[in-house]
Amino acid sequence: MRLLSLFAVAASTLPLTAMAAEPYSYAQPDQVRVTHLDLDLTIDFPQRELSGQATLKLDWKNPKAPSLVLDTRDLKIASIESVSADGKTAPLNYALAPRDKALGSKLTIATPTHPTRVRIVYATSPDAAGLQWLTPAQTAGKKLPFMFSQSESINARSWVPIQDSPAIRITYDAHIKATSDVRVVMSALNDAQHPLDGDYTFDQPHPIPSYLLAIAAGDIAAEATGPRSAVYAEPSMVHKAAHEFEDTEKMIATAERLYGPYRWGRYDLIVLPPSFPFGGMENANMTFATPTIVVGDKSLASVISHELAHSWSGNLVTNATWRDGWLNEGFTTYVQGRITEAVYGKSLADEEALLSARALEKSIGSMPANAQKLTPDLRGVDADDALSDVAYDKGSWFLRTLEQRFGRADFDAYLRSYFDHFAFQSITTEQMLAYMKPNLIDKYPGKMRWAEVQDWVYGSGIPKDAPLPDSPRFDAIDTERAAFLADKLTADKLDAKGWNTQEWMYFLDRLPDVTALAKIKALDDAWHLTGTPNAEIGMRWYVHAIVAGDKDVWPAAAEHMTRIGRLYLTLPLYKAFAKTPEGLAYAKQVYAKAMAGYHPLTQQAVEGILAKASPAKK
């Protein structure tokens, strides 16, 4: 992110219209707003293409508006027509602007008669930023190709012509055709019993922002995990995933007790191939998840509780702009902790909260002042870089502070009322604060000064009195780590046999940035960390070993980087290798082999790391 002037200082005094300005969309919702999307698409795996039509239902806000403006990226537009109430069509003139690298191409459709619907016939590009196409060889089963989408932040426009802003919510239905051996799922109501007939229909009756539009297709099996939930995955993975996430119904029921009814009907999830670039994506009704969280002991199931929590904070109440992203991610991380505590115990929830807090404490001081704010100025920042750990971890820390000050019972009641009040709306930080002041701060006077709230939301850094949970197990690990580093305890005497994933993460996170090679070798000899199947532990271990100069781990690190396309688990290894000329050369070799299996977002991120580390050509 970029340095800030005085924007945040005056933010609370700006009118809502100014705060809600959308820098990442060409759409003009004050002129006309899309309210419903009707998709009719065919999946063509050989051509790596979705083709068909999108019919948009329109609500004209300005009776004099001359046109409908949409966001697109690399779409091949065949024709555009108006559709009248009686079904009659008429061609419309349109202009597709030159492609902007960040925003795609502005599509301006002349609409002098203000039709109620507009139909666009189009096809996607094989290189669509929001779609990844995998060959059979890149899947677990090796039988069928696979395709999945990732629309957040502004990639929905690469597969649907749409007003691609979180401020605009739409309902949608879809008719998707594919070959009869392929199952299709979407971010809508799915039927696990649907026959494999190549003909699928979907309905999303609740208004969602465009970044929650999602589709996946491939060799996908399904297994129920509860009365309103199921896991979808490749056949070789589905049973293992269903066991890992068998507590899904408990999570849903827990969240309902805290924050009101689950309003989406079903909560399903799909475990995608390893190239999926994120831990999870909260697509409505159908969470998309990485296989790296399926470790056999439910220790990383908090990723699912996080995505489920988005069904309240994010999907139900949505940030109106990406500047307000902490309303999605900070609230969700807090709710995730509450679900984790109820289902898996307070100890695990506290450990996860401490992990994120300690990591933020370590990193936030080196960030520009603007990047330390929950409400950063995003001018000059790409949409995919708008969210950082600050939105997640500082945001949730703020909510834990509110819980401590006001008491859990009163804060729970407030949060439930917040979700009810803003249900199915997209809001700004200022709207959230305007609701918080009378309904929490003023309602319980003396608990927290408004200036403190302003400091959390608009200030840099972390307030000095920010509370942290206690973790006796982490305290014991701190003691053992210090003794190990001071040569008072050998690696094999660490009491690590019973450490869970989070405890290993904590031990490794707080090792020195450059740990002595002898210490690294001793840890590996004692605990056999190289080759671990646990990607969270592996990512941390390989970074330490690479930086320490342990070349023996390079092949295993390369295997990790090739097998896993999740950004969070892969980029740190590239950055570690890029610190030395020899390591950079090796990383380039790894990338050359791994690139074809990476999502376009991962490719872009890795190439940026390698380019930055490479010496400039004269």
Side-chain angles (χ1 to χ4, degrees):
M1 296 185 180
R2 303 293 184 266
L3 285 170
L4 182 60
S5 58
L6 297 177
F7 176 80
V9 176
S12 61
T13 65
L14 291 177
L16 294 182
T17 51
M19 295 308 304
E22 173 56 87
Y24 303 122
S25 173
Y26 294 115
Q28 300 171 350
D30 58 330
Q31 304 293 302
V32 56
R33 186 175 288 249
V34 176
T35 61
H36 182 79
L37 167 68
D38 183 357
L39 279 175
D40 194 337
L41 299 174
T42 298
I43 302 173
D44 187 334
F45 278 103
Q47 297 299 316
R48 304 196 333 160
E49 176 185 270
L50 300 178
S51 62
Q53 60 190 34
T55 304
L56 309 178
K57 186 177 181 181
L58 307 175
D59 177 15
W60 291 91
K61 302 295 186 182
N62 180 2
K64 297 181 179 180
S67 59
L68 166 66
V69 177
L70 301 176
D71 296 300
T72 76
R73 180 183 287 146
D74 303 324
L75 298 182
K76 295 171 280 188
I77 307 295
S79 65
I80 302 179
E81 59 189 12
S82 63
V83 184
S84 64
D86 61 4
K88 292 182 179 179
T89 62
L92 294 174
N93 294 322
Y94 64 91
L96 193 63
R99 185 183 190 276
D100 178 87
K101 182 179 179 182
L103 302 182
S105 299
K106 177 181 180 180
L107 175 61
T108 305
I109 305 168
T111 49
T113 61
H114 287 189
T116 57
R117 289 182 293 164
V118 165
R119 179 171 295 143
I120 303 164
V121 180
Y122 72 99
T124 62
S125 164
D127 300 316
L131 301 175
Q132 183 170 22
W133 301 85
L134 301 175
T135 65
Q138 293 171 316
T139 68
K142 314 296 184 185
K143 294 179 180 179
L144 297 174
F146 205 105
M147 179 273 295
F148 63 86
S149 66
Q150 174 53 40
S151 293
E152 192 179 17
S153 300
I154 59 169
N155 290 320
R157 65 191 69 182
S158 72
W159 64 283
V160 181
I162 197 70
Q163 292 178 318
D164 199 6
S165 163
I168 303 164
R169 305 177 73 100
I170 58 169
T171 54
Y172 82 87
D173 54 69
H175 175 221
I176 309 294
K177 288 179 280 188
T179 55
S180 60
D181 51 358
V182 164
R183 182 185 297 276
V184 182
V185 298
M186 292 192 76
S187 55
L189 294 170
N190 290 266
D191 178 9
Q193 304 303 317
H194 194 290
L196 294 179
D197 59 5
D199 195 294
Y200 292 83
T201 57
F202 301 93
D203 176 39
Q204 179 50 268
H206 300 296
I208 62 171
S210 56
Y211 72 85
L212 294 180
L213 288 170
I215 186 171
D219 186 10
I220 301 170
E223 187 169 325
T225 54
R228 48 182 167 171
S229 63
V231 167
Y232 293 73
E234 290 191 70
S236 63
M237 170 68 78
V238 69
H239 183 68
K240 185 178 180 182
H243 174 72
E244 194 84 0
F245 308 132
E246 65 185 2
D247 295 328
T248 299
E249 178 58 31
K250 292 181 185 177
M251 293 182 182
I252 300 172
T254 295
E256 287 185 314
R257 286 194 298 273
L258 291 169
Y259 306 119
Y262 178 77
R263 308 184 195 213
W264 303 86
R266 290 191 59 81
Y267 178 75
D268 297 322
L269 63 95
I270 179 170
V271 178
L272 294 172
S275 60
F276 183 56
F278 301 107
M281 178 62 211
E282 66 271 17
N283 298 312
N285 291 101
M286 177 68 78
T287 284
F288 283 24
T290 170
T292 61
I293 64 174
V294 182
V295 293
D297 61 2
K298 303 182 184 179
S299 61
L300 300 179
S302 57
V303 171
I304 301 305
S305 61
H306 182 94
E307 306 312 331
L308 169 64
H310 270 302
S311 301
W312 286 262
S313 48
N315 298 7
L316 185 66
V317 182
T318 304
N319 52 232
T321 78
W322 295 116
R323 170 257 189 188
D324 304 298
W326 77 279
L327 296 181
N328 280 21
E329 299 301 349
F331 277 63
T332 290
T333 303
Y334 171 80
V335 173
Q336 164 200 324
R338 296 295 303 280
I339 296 171
T340 297
E341 177 182 325
V343 177
Y344 298 109
K346 189 174 187 299
S347 176
L348 180 61
D350 287 347
E351 287 186 352
E352 292 187 339
L354 269 172
L355 271 172
S356 65
R358 293 302 189 197
L360 185 63
E361 283 180 322
K362 183 177 180 180
S363 64
I364 198 167
S366 62
M367 298 178 185
N370 179 46
Q372 299 178 28
K373 301 173 188 243
L374 289 177
T375 51
D377 183 343
L378 295 182
R379 286 174 289 190
V381 179
D382 287 344
D384 286 331
D385 296 326
L387 283 177
S388 73
D389 289 345
V390 171
Y392 293 77
D393 299 333
K394 184 178 177 181
S396 59
W397 206 340
F398 172 42
L399 267 67
R400 290 197 303 273
T401 302
L402 291 171
E403 179 200 314
Q404 183 192 67
R405 296 287 190 89
F406 291 90
R408 179 166 280 192
D410 287 338
F411 186 61
D412 282 352
Y414 163 75
L415 206 51
R416 181 168 181 159
S417 74
Y418 165 81
F419 292 136
D420 288 340
H421 182 77
F422 291 113
F424 299 110
Q425 297 180 53
S426 297
I427 67 170
T428 64
T429 296
E430 288 62 42
Q431 287 172 288
M432 184 281 292
L433 291 175
Y435 184 79
M436 175 182 283
K437 194 171 191 302
N439 292 289
L440 184 67
I441 306 300
D442 294 345
K443 185 176 180 179
Y444 305 101
K447 300 289 180 98
M448 193 172 197
R449 293 179 296 109
W450 189 242
E452 293 179 83
V453 174
Q454 299 281 79
D455 187 36
W456 270 102
V457 174
Y458 297 119
S460 298
I462 303 164
K464 289 185 171 57
D465 60 349
L468 284 171
D470 294 322
S471 175
R473 290 179 66 86
F474 275 13
D475 292 342
I477 289 171
D478 284 335
T479 300
E480 291 204 31
R481 186 193 309 102
F484 167 68
L485 293 172
D487 294 324
K488 296 178 180 178
L489 185 70
T490 59
D492 61 319
K493 297 301 182 183
L494 289 169
D495 187 22
K497 191 172 183 180
W499 287 356
N500 62 23
T501 297
Q502 286 73 17
E503 287 153 5
W504 269 111
M505 289 163 63
Y506 185 71
F507 176 83
L508 294 169
D509 277 347
R510 296 178 72 79
L511 285 175
D513 290 342
V514 181
T515 303
L517 179 59
K519 295 292 185 185
I520 293 295
K521 290 285 193 183
L523 283 172
D524 209 13
D525 288 343
W527 299 103
H528 310 293
L529 297 172
T530 300
T532 174
N534 188 311
E536 287 276 4
I537 296 172
M539 177 268 285
R540 290 164 169 80
W541 170 247
Y542 293 127
V543 167
H544 278 298
I546 293 164
V547 173
D550 187 358
K551 294 183 67 174
D552 289 342
V553 308
W554 284 20
E559 191 278 332
H560 174 108
M561 297 156 72
T562 303
R563 174 172 52 89
I564 298 169
R566 183 179 172 188
L567 289 160
Y568 156 73
L569 295 175
T570 301
L571 297 188
L573 276 71
Y574 279 103
K575 291 177 181 177
F577 273 125
K579 292 179 183 294
T580 65
E582 187 179 6
L584 177 62
Y586 187 77
K588 289 180 177 179
Q589 294 175 14
V590 174
Y591 179 62
K593 296 177 181 178
M595 177 178 63
Y598 283 164
H599 188 278
L601 290 174
T602 309
Q603 293 176 358
Q604 179 181 349
V606 173
E607 288 168 9
I609 292 169
L610 299 180
K612 185 177 180 180
S614 298
K617 294 181 179 179
K618 295 182 179 179

